[in-house]
Amino acid sequence: MDEQQWTAVVAAATRAPSIHNTQPWRFTATGDRLDLHRDHERALPVLDPTGRQQVISCGVAAEFAAVALRAAGVEAEIELLPASEDPDHLATVRAGAPREVTSADAALAEAIGRRHTERSPFLPRAVPEGLLERVEADAGPLGVWVKTVTGSDEEVATAFLVSRAEELERSSPEYLAELERWLRTDPAAVDGIPVGAVPEDDPATRPSNWLVRDFVASSRTPRTFLPAGDPAAPPPEVERPTVVLLGTEGDDRTAWLLAGRALGRLLLTATVEGLATSPLTQAPDWPATRTRMRSRLSLVGYPQMLLRMGYPSTAGGPVSGRRPVSEVLRFEPAR
Ligand SMILES: Cc1cc2nc3c(=O)[nH]c(=O)nc-3n(C[C@H](O)[C@H](O)[C@H](O)COP(=O)(O)O)c2cc1C
């Protein structure tokens, strides 16, 4: 593998979603291996004190690197936590023998560039039959379970916990200050959440039981609610997205990386199908709401990622920036 090839692979890996778009990763390419380290400088001590969500983000990046390698005609293998003495060394992706590229490989790799977090309302249309089974079949061998939040009891309990967590967050000055540090008004910003990716939190245009994270809570001026448009018009339909929960039996770095890998697969599979997704991780953010989620949904193990999934109502592409590859990748000569 030469520098140009690794640069292309890392460009794909860094399109991975990450909590607050912190991009908490560094890569080193040495011959046929790519080492992925967590970058502590980009930590979120208030929201993510254990680093769980950043490690999940790095797991997605490792998966995207492997997908890009396979689509380039190279076998790929991911080893998790390869060096026990360095806790930040999260994964090694190894480039193997040449392989024939299948149409599925090519489709997944192509989806990397199109995938983005879509917080706007979804269309009232069910996800394709068989998709969730495929997602489960991909996640199972990684030790990750996928639960669709169905049935009114589960939906009400989960939506309540998301709202409760969102409320807790909005009332924490430390949380809001940290969030504000990662909010970006410059559309050319290379990291953080661009305000353009956050829809107006207006129940007239986004009627849903599922609150997306309010990234602009700290700068929002309290407003009186004025319904938009013709008051005689029928109210817009309440969004009913498919909501899926990914979880693991354990709750350590290996589990978080595996959850990230499964999440990466899920996001690309959904994108290939024309679906959009957005995480709703407020409830699993906090120990109290996370514990209640485990008991209210009778989960075996730990919730790692909650996502809404559905057909997008707007045609949009990625809007969040990424740091240039040269900033996150260095090359070392193979010994
Ligand atoms: C572990 C994790 C947790 C996330 N939590 C949320 C969330 O609670 N709400 C949200 O709107 N987006 C969430 N996101 C999405 C990120 O904000 C998004 O990936 C990042 O801004 C980059 O944008 P992109 O996904 O469009 O490339 C999360 C992403 C990851 C990986």
Side-chain angles (χ1 to χ4, degrees), residues 70-143:
R70 293 190 194 108
V74 179
E75 292 291 356
E77 212 177 87
I78 300 177
E79 186 187 354
L80 300 180
L81 303 174
S84 53
E85 72 278 7
D86 179 358
D88 289 333
H89 188 182
L90 296 181
T92 296
V93 183
R94 286 202 173 74
R99 80 197 294 266
E100 205 166 304
V101 181
T102 64
S103 55
D105 294 333
L108 286 177
E110 193 268 334
I112 290 176
R114 275 188 297 124
R115 182 220 61 84
H116 63 278
T117 299
E118 183 52 68
R119 300 180 182 88
S120 302
F122 296 151
L123 298 175
R125 184 176 155 200
V127 303
E129 200 143 325
L131 177 83
L132 293 166
E133 287 75 7
R134 266 165 50 212
V135 163
E136 273 184 54
D138 279 343
L142 295 170

Side-chain angles (χ1 to χ4, degrees), residues 14-23 47-48 52-58 60 115-119 166 169 175 192-194 197-198 211-215 263 267 277-283 285 304-306 317-322:
T14 56
R15 284 310 317 171
S18 59
I19 179 76
H20 290 8
N21 199 16
T22 46
Q23 303 164 44
L47 172 66
D48 191 23
R52 184 181 68 84
Q53 302 201 55
Q54 290 205 316
V55 173
I56 291 177
S57 311
C58 289
V60 185
R115 182 220 61 84
H116 63 278
T117 299
E118 183 52 68
R119 300 180 182 88
E166 177 73 23
E169 292 180 336
Y175 167 85
I193 309 283
V198 185
L211 280 180
V212 294
R213 191 188 296 275
D214 187 2
F215 288 99
L263 172 65
L267 295 174
T277 51
S278 82
L280 297 161
T281 57
Q282 302 97 314
D285 281 350
Q304 302 292 358
M305 171 55 72
L306 187 67
V319 284
S320 65
R322 292 296 184 276

Side-chain angles (χ1 to χ4, degrees), residues 121-192:
F122 296 151
L123 298 175
R125 184 176 155 200
V127 303
E129 200 143 325
L131 177 83
L132 293 166
E133 287 75 7
R134 266 165 50 212
V135 163
E136 273 184 54
D138 279 343
L142 295 170
V144 177
W145 47 256
V146 180
K147 176 180 170 57
T148 311
V149 179
T150 49
S152 53
D153 284 0
E154 284 185 357
E155 256 184 60
V156 168
T158 311
F160 170 78
L161 289 172
V162 171
S163 311
R164 176 79 194 112
E166 177 73 23
E167 204 180 303
L168 284 171
E169 292 180 336
R170 288 188 202 189
S171 62
S172 157
E174 295 80 20
Y175 167 85
L176 292 177
E178 186 176 82
L179 186 62
E180 181 131 349
R181 278 200 293 282
W182 289 96
L183 194 64
R184 302 287 183 262
T185 45
D186 176 359
V190 296
D191 62 8

